[in-house]
Amino acid sequence: MGNQGLRSILAFATIAASPLHIDLSCVLGNVIAELTAFLRKANRALRQATLGTLNSIIVAYGDKITPTAYEVIIVELSTLISDSDLYMTALALELCCTLMADRSSTPNIGVTVRDKVLPQGLTLVRSSLLQGQALMALQKFFAGLIYSANTSFESLLESLLSSAKSSPQSGGVAKQAMFSIAQCVAVLCLAAGDEKCSSTVNMLTDILKGDSTNNSAKQHLALLCLGEIGRRKDLSSHTHIENIVIESFQSPFEEIKSAASYALGNIAVGNLSKYLPFILDQIDHQQKKQYLLLHSLKEVIVRQSVDKAEFQESSVDKILNLLFNHCESEEEGVRNVVAECLGKIALIEPIKLVPALKMRTTSAAAFTRVTVVTAIKYAVVERPEKIDEILYPEISSFLMLIKDDDRHVRRAAVLALSTAAHNKPNLIKGLLPELLPLLYDQTVVKKELIRTVDLGPFKHVVDDGLELRKAAFECVDTLLDNCLDQVNPSAFIVPYLKSGLDVLDSLVDPLQKTINFKPKQDAVKQEVDRNEDMIRSALRAIASLNRISGGDYSIKFKNLMNEIAKSPTLWDKYHSIRNE
């Protein structure tokens, strides 16, 4: 089956989509049978084209297709649904939705889809790989099962909620899978109508009112489901739902607190005028819950920026006052969330935000300068945005903080430069002649940032400049990838890269100790296995270093390589790792 077969398949798709309504009754049975058989072929392009053509034919000629043919198609579709090929899975699920939506098909179609495809759907929803088009298609699939009126809402809801339970066979459920399950639950509830949706919200809030010291998985899912439902539907008819959710901020489990923060923010999206003032008021008055409440606010802002929605003017002013008041927070986590919120608001209101952020680059408070530069990092995203042209003439005010007196500010500027170089290199190319010498200077070890901490029986040397140097080297790497025409590599290699590589000699001794370590004679299997893992990790690091150097390295490193070469066991392991 070559190009000719593919062209034949596409020809039938064109015929099916034609406004001429061409009568295919004399060949339809054979065409369907052939196309169904193609779904078993190894050729991916063939299967892909077949799914599209079957979709077109069912839309155009659904009333002419026999129930038996439909059943065979559904059985074949069930074999295509897995996380090993998400694009094919999305096409197969979309075809299932077409089948169930076709009112001319027999009532048994929904039953057959439920029996044959639903088990694969419930397995897929647990996958940590599920995302994008396949996740959207799976949501439509669950809604389609409700609309086809062949599957009870209660049994579907129970199946979805049960898929979040860990079992001895399948193990725990990935965090990403919990979000996928919650999204499918939300779409299912909306498809089932207001009454079913309302009763589900009551059931979920009852779970939260229960004992919060145990069964955290059940509460975790309940919070995520409430957030996903609330984002799509106004839940203000459920009295005090915001207070019920915020109670979970007291949970001893981190994942519950995080899910509660996510839920509150998304419920607010469903009714901004009611819930946004509540969140802002709580941030001002609940010091201990501030970090989680700011995350709730971030959910609201991110959703508005993604949906290209706009806040009311008064809401923006209130949010900005609150955020700028928290720029100087002693907690790095709080400052980071504030910066992300400011960056995402800047995507919605760039004319207002860029000058407000720029004004604070000269603030006397170092933490404020850190926060506004980090905000710019969050505002420079891969897709084109209206902020780009407003930021272009102003971005140097932020990036020139790379020469600030405070190392935290310098690091924030380096990270912002790195993000801009990766996402929007044209924003910064003209500034590089001035920025590069300043960036290179951040790769140098600064003795004034090295201190000795006295821990009683021993002393510990701390290099406060390490994180800044790492960020600077990573930034140069990004610039070499995206702005090579503006960077002269030789100006960086000597002396900056050379001095950076000299530091790597300090790695030789710990790596040498690791590969030469021998467990005791009476060591248990677990200790032997762990030591073997350590040796392999060390050899993997050595292989990476050797790849960087191209074999031209310090005498100390060459001696280490010679030692590995003299040991047949280490040499074999090293070679197998290098060839992975």
Side-chain angles (χ1 to χ4, degrees), residues 1-15:
M1 175 60 68
N3 289 336
Q4 194 175 350
L6 268 176
R7 281 198 290 270
S8 303
I9 292 168
L10 296 171
F12 274 107
T14 305
I15 293 168

Side-chain angles (χ1 to χ4, degrees), residues 97-113:
C97 292
T98 302
L99 286 167
M100 290 187 287
D102 181 14
R103 293 293 166 219
S104 60
S105 64
T106 63
N108 292 333
I109 294 300
V111 175
T112 310
V113 170

Side-chain angles (χ1 to χ4, degrees), residues 443 445 469 473 495-505:
T443 67
V445 175
R469 290 203 307 281
F473 277 116
Y496 300 104
L497 183 59
K498 187 176 180 299
S499 75
L501 291 174
D502 286 345
V503 176
L504 294 179
D505 255 7

Side-chain angles (χ1 to χ4, degrees), residues 156-228:
L156 267 179
L157 180 64
E158 178 54 37
S159 298
L160 266 175
L161 295 174
S162 297
S163 65
K165 293 175 184 169
S166 51
S167 63
Q169 298 82 23
S170 57
V173 182
K175 185 180 176 184
Q176 177 58 39
M178 295 291 270
F179 280 95
S180 299
I181 293 164
Q183 287 176 52
C184 289
V185 166
V187 170
L188 187 72
C189 288
L190 265 69
D194 288 350
E195 192 181 323
K196 302 281 189 193
C197 191
S198 187
S199 64
T200 305
V201 170
N202 290 336
M203 179 266 290
L204 294 168
T205 49
D206 284 346
I207 290 171
L208 298 184
K209 289 174 187 171
D211 183 7
S212 63
T213 57
N214 56 24
N215 207 347
S216 65
K218 201 170 179 183
Q219 297 203 317
H220 186 191
L221 183 61
L223 286 162
L224 295 181
C225 290
L226 285 172
E228 293 297 340

Side-chain angles (χ1 to χ4, degrees), residues 54-55 58-59 62 65-66 69-75 77 92-106 109-110 112-113 117 144 148:
L54 275 171
N55 210 353
I58 289 162
V59 169
I65 299 170
T66 66
Y70 268 137
E71 291 205 15
V72 177
I73 292 170
I74 292 164
V75 170
L77 290 178
L93 286 168
E94 283 163 6
L95 184 49
C96 283
C97 292
T98 302
L99 286 167
M100 290 187 287
D102 181 14
R103 293 293 166 219
S104 60
S105 64
T106 63
I109 294 300
T112 310
V113 170
V117 184
S148 69

Side-chain angles (χ1 to χ4, degrees), residues 104-128:
S104 60
S105 64
T106 63
N108 292 333
I109 294 300
V111 175
T112 310
V113 170
R114 183 192 67 204
D115 294 346
K116 303 293 182 187
V117 184
L118 180 57
Q120 275 76 11
L122 291 169
T123 301
L124 179 67
V125 80
R126 288 174 58 95
S127 170
S128 58

Side-chain angles (χ1 to χ4, degrees), residues 91-389:
L91 294 177
L93 286 168
E94 283 163 6
L95 184 49
C96 283
C97 292
T98 302
L99 286 167
M100 290 187 287
D102 181 14
R103 293 293 166 219
S104 60
S105 64
T106 63
N108 292 333
I109 294 300
V111 175
T112 310
V113 170
R114 183 192 67 204
D115 294 346
K116 303 293 182 187
V117 184
L118 180 57
Q120 275 76 11
L122 291 169
T123 301
L124 179 67
V125 80
R126 288 174 58 95
S127 170
S128 58
L129 303 175
L130 181 62
Q131 58 177 325
Q133 190 183 348
L135 177 55
M136 296 297 290
L138 188 60
Q139 290 172 33
K140 286 180 196 163
F141 171 75
F142 282 110
L145 282 169
I146 290 292
Y147 291 137
S148 69
N150 294 111
T151 315
S152 89
F153 166 75
E154 286 73 20
S155 66
L156 267 179
L157 180 64
E158 178 54 37
S159 298
L160 266 175
L161 295 174
S162 297
S163 65
K165 293 175 184 169
S166 51
S167 63
Q169 298 82 23
S170 57
V173 182
K175 185 180 176 184
Q176 177 58 39
M178 295 291 270
F179 280 95
S180 299
I181 293 164
Q183 287 176 52
C184 289
V185 166
V187 170
L188 187 72
C189 288
L190 265 69
D194 288 350
E195 192 181 323
K196 302 281 189 193
C197 191
S198 187
S199 64
T200 305
V201 170
N202 290 336
M203 179 266 290
L204 294 168
T205 49
D206 284 346
I207 290 171
L208 298 184
K209 289 174 187 171
D211 183 7
S212 63
T213 57
N214 56 24
N215 207 347
S216 65
K218 201 170 179 183
Q219 297 203 317
H220 186 191
L221 183 61
L223 286 162
L224 295 181
C225 290
L226 285 172
E228 293 297 340
I229 296 169
R231 178 157 68 80
R232 295 166 171 84
K233 182 181 173 62
D234 179 3
L235 295 185
S236 57
S237 60
H238 295 266
T239 319
H240 303 311
I241 190 166
E242 68 276 32
N243 293 311
I244 296 166
V245 168
I246 214 170
E247 277 300 308
S248 294
F249 281 18
Q250 316 282 3
S251 168
F253 305 104
E254 283 304 316
E255 72 270 18
I256 298 289
K257 290 194 273 197
S258 175
S261 172
Y262 177 85
L264 182 61
N266 279 281
I267 288 168
V269 171
N271 186 336
L272 281 178
S273 58
K274 178 174 173 66
Y275 297 120
L276 183 57
F278 171 79
I279 292 174
L280 297 176
D281 181 67
Q282 290 284 310
I283 292 172
D284 269 343
H285 295 101
Q286 298 286 339
Q287 191 72 30
K288 288 183 180 174
K289 298 175 185 173
Q290 210 168 69
Y291 177 70
L292 291 167
L293 287 159
L294 281 165
H295 267 285
S296 298
L297 179 59
K298 184 192 82 176
E299 284 298 328
V300 175
I301 296 165
V302 168
R303 185 54 51 191
Q304 297 298 103
S305 69
V306 169
D307 294 346
K308 299 287 188 284
E310 290 191 4
F311 289 109
Q312 292 178 336
E313 190 72 23
S314 58
S315 294
V316 174
D317 290 337
K318 281 180 192 166
I319 293 169
L320 289 181
N321 286 337
L322 184 146
L323 291 172
F324 284 131
N325 283 342
H326 289 89
C327 275
E328 292 175 41
S329 170
E330 290 295 316
E331 288 184 48
E332 186 180 3
V334 168
R335 293 197 307 274
N336 274 336
V337 189
V338 167
E340 190 170 354
C341 288
L342 287 168
K344 297 308 178 189
I345 293 179
L347 290 172
I348 305 168
E349 299 270 3
I351 294 169
K352 183 175 237 174
L353 263 290
V354 172
L357 293 169
K358 180 185 174 183
M359 185 178 80
R360 287 167 175 82
T361 58
T362 56
S363 166
F367 281 160
T368 294
R369 302 197 300 277
V370 169
T371 305
V372 294
V373 178
T374 306
I376 292 300
K377 181 186 84 168
Y378 285 113
V380 180
V381 293
E382 279 189 88
R383 61 186 183 271
E385 293 283 350
K386 57 184 177 181
I387 191 176
D388 299 344
E389 59 187 273

